[in-house]
Amino acid sequence: MQRARLVVLRISADSPAAQLKFKQQHQLPYTLLADTDKKVADAYGVIKEKNMYGKKVKGIARTTFVIDGQGKIARVFENVKPEGHAEEVLAALQTQK
């Protein structure tokens, strides 16, 4: 039985330079992608109205997408909080087999 290959990508509106600094600072082993024009965020529907210091603004809602081997979205985690999220996604992947 062949084991499925896992690819982890992080996409944000930060510049490539900011992405590199973040990757080095946190010693991340995966690829970071810059979406400075927010075209990917818009395509995935994660630009939402948010409340920032009492003002309504448009921003990117932290979201995780699990995409299967056929390129289809298998699972979506919305309103993600960093603490414990990696474990949550890993558990979901293990039950999805």
Side-chain angles (χ1 to χ4, degrees):
M1 178 190 215
Q2 187 174 355
R3 188 175 169 165
R5 193 173 79 127
L6 179 65
V7 177
V8 176
L9 302 171
R10 176 186 186 264
I11 303 174
S12 79
D14 295 333
S15 70
Q19 292 277 25
L20 180 59
K21 183 178 177 183
F22 184 84
K23 181 175 182 162
Q24 291 170 339
Q25 180 181 9
H26 296 284
Q27 300 175 342
L28 300 177
Y30 51 84
T31 303
L32 306 182
L33 302 173
D35 182 28
T36 54
D37 58 7
K38 299 182 182 146
K39 286 183 180 179
V40 175
D42 191 39
Y44 276 80
V46 296
I47 297 178
K48 308 277 183 176
E49 190 172 87
K50 301 166 106 180
N51 220 343
M52 186 169 269
Y53 305 111
K55 286 186 165 185
K56 292 193 185 247
V57 296
K58 290 267 187 176
I60 297 175
R62 188 174 282 153
T63 309
T64 296
F65 294 91
V66 175
I67 301 172
D68 69 18
Q70 286 71 49
K72 301 213 186 288
I73 296 172
R75 179 93 188 256
V76 179
F77 296 85
E78 297 181 292
N79 303 313
V80 171
K81 304 285 185 239
E83 298 78 28
H85 184 57
E87 293 80 10
E88 176 185 25
V89 173
L90 185 57
L93 290 172
Q94 290 172 338
T95 60
Q96 201 169 25
K97 291 179 181 176

